[in-house]
Amino acid sequence: MKLFRVEPKRAQSDQKPRPALIIIHEIWGLSEHIRDVSRRFAREGYLVIAPDLFTREGPPKFEPGNREALMAFLASIPD
């Protein structure tokens, strides 16, 4: 499964564990908005991964906001 991963900046001497988050994207897929949210959490000290839940199907092929195309895409995904 593909994912977007971002880590907080830290000094080389700082080896303590960091809190982690898994961010699940919206129905529109792993968009730039989700990547931006992940980066913002990383700036606050979190290790963040955002898995691409459409890895097998590929990215949604429609314009964001086009509900009819989105519903057709979702209907085409096998269980």
Side-chain angles (χ1 to χ4, degrees):
M1 177 179 280
K2 295 179 182 180
L3 59 90
F4 180 73
R5 176 185 167 154
V6 61
E7 296 185 36
K9 292 183 182 179
R10 63 165 107 179
Q12 290 222 353
S13 62
D14 182 10
Q15 296 300 317
K16 65 182 179 181
R18 297 285 185 204
L21 292 174
I22 299 172
I23 297 181
I24 304 300
H25 63 73
E26 303 152 316
I27 201 165
W28 306 108
L30 187 56
S31 65
E32 184 54 37
H33 170 68
I34 297 301
R35 288 180 173 91
D36 179 57
V37 169
S38 299
R39 288 184 199 103
R40 286 187 269 157
F41 275 113
R43 283 194 296 269
E44 296 298 321
Y46 292 89
L47 166 66
V48 181
I49 62 169
D52 181 359
L53 301 179
F54 295 139
T55 295
R56 289 185 306 164
E57 290 76 27
K61 295 171 181 65
F62 54 85
E63 294 179 30
N66 184 339
R67 183 170 168 71
E68 289 179 19
L70 170 64
M71 297 313 284
F73 171 73
L74 293 175
S76 72
I77 297 174
D79 293 339

